[in-house]
Each structure stands twice: as structure tokens, then as C-alpha cells.
């Protein structure tokens, strides 16, 4: 799971062009949106594309996205349980 968490952090930094952020700067349990990493709704769309392209997971229900993007750990758990790639 630690490998997936690190890979996710690297993919998020690259996909969202977070040039000043390093993987170790991202707290595994901090919120991705708002006070945590500070992502916004445009970033959410990028994350949806990222998990679909890299892990074969299609999010059809926006409510699910809201739940799985709570933190890196929650996202990693969801991907580990649902990935097709």
C-alpha cells in the first residue's frame, strides 16, 4: 500500500503541476481539498481523469468522488479495491 500511496502522490503532483510540492509534503490523512492540499473543482476533474487512465476506474457518481478524494489514504484504499489496471 505504501508504494501505491507514494505513486499517487507523484501522479497528483505531476498531473496538477504542483511544482513546489514534494511527495513527503503531502500528509496521507490530510484533506485533498480545502484546508489540506488546497485542491479545487478543476483539480477534481484532473484526478478523475488520472484514476480512470492509470487505474481503469470510472467514477459515474460525483458523490463517490467526494468520498474517495478525502485523503491520499482513502483514495489509495479505493484504488486498491477497485482497480482494473
Amino acid at each position: 500500500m505504501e508504494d501505491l500511496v507514494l505513486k499517487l502522490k507523484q501522479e497528483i503532483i505531476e498531473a496538477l503541476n504542483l511544482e513546489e510540492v514534494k511527495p513527503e509534503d503531502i500528509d496521507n490523512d490530510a484533506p485533498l481539498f480545502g484546508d489540506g492540499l488546497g485542491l479545487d473543482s478543476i483539480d477534481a476533474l484532473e484526478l478523475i481523469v488520472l484514476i480512470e487512465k492509470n487505474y481503469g476506474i470510472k467514477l459515474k457518481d460525483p458523490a463517490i468522488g467526494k468520498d474517495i478524494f478525502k485523503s491520499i489514504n482513502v483514495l489509495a484504499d479505493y484504488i486498491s479495491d477497485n482497480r482494473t489496471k
Side-chain angles (χ1 to χ4, degrees):
M1 184 65 85
E2 284 184 37
D3 290 342
L4 178 57
V5 167
L6 179 60
K7 184 177 179 194
L8 272 173
K9 288 179 179 183
Q10 292 167 335
E11 290 171 340
I12 289 170
I13 290 168
E14 184 178 321
L16 303 180
N17 297 316
L18 303 174
E19 295 162 0
E20 289 108 40
V21 178
K22 294 179 176 47
E24 58 271 13
D25 296 337
I26 302 172
D27 183 335
N28 293 353
D29 293 310
L32 295 177
F33 295 87
D35 293 338
L37 195 53
L39 303 183
D40 61 23
S41 59
I42 300 297
D43 296 325
L45 294 174
E46 292 286 333
L47 290 178
I48 290 168
V49 169
L50 181 140
I51 65 168
E52 186 173 321
K53 183 173 88 174
N54 294 359
Y55 302 100
I57 297 171
K58 291 185 186 269
L59 295 180
K60 296 180 178 106
D61 183 356
I64 292 173
K66 194 173 190 177
D67 289 336
I68 68 166
F69 293 140
K70 286 186 178 176
S71 71
I72 291 289
N73 280 340
V74 172
L75 181 57
D77 285 341
Y78 185 84
I79 288 172
S80 141
D81 292 343
N82 296 283
R83 70 189 304 170
T84 61
K85 289 186 180 180

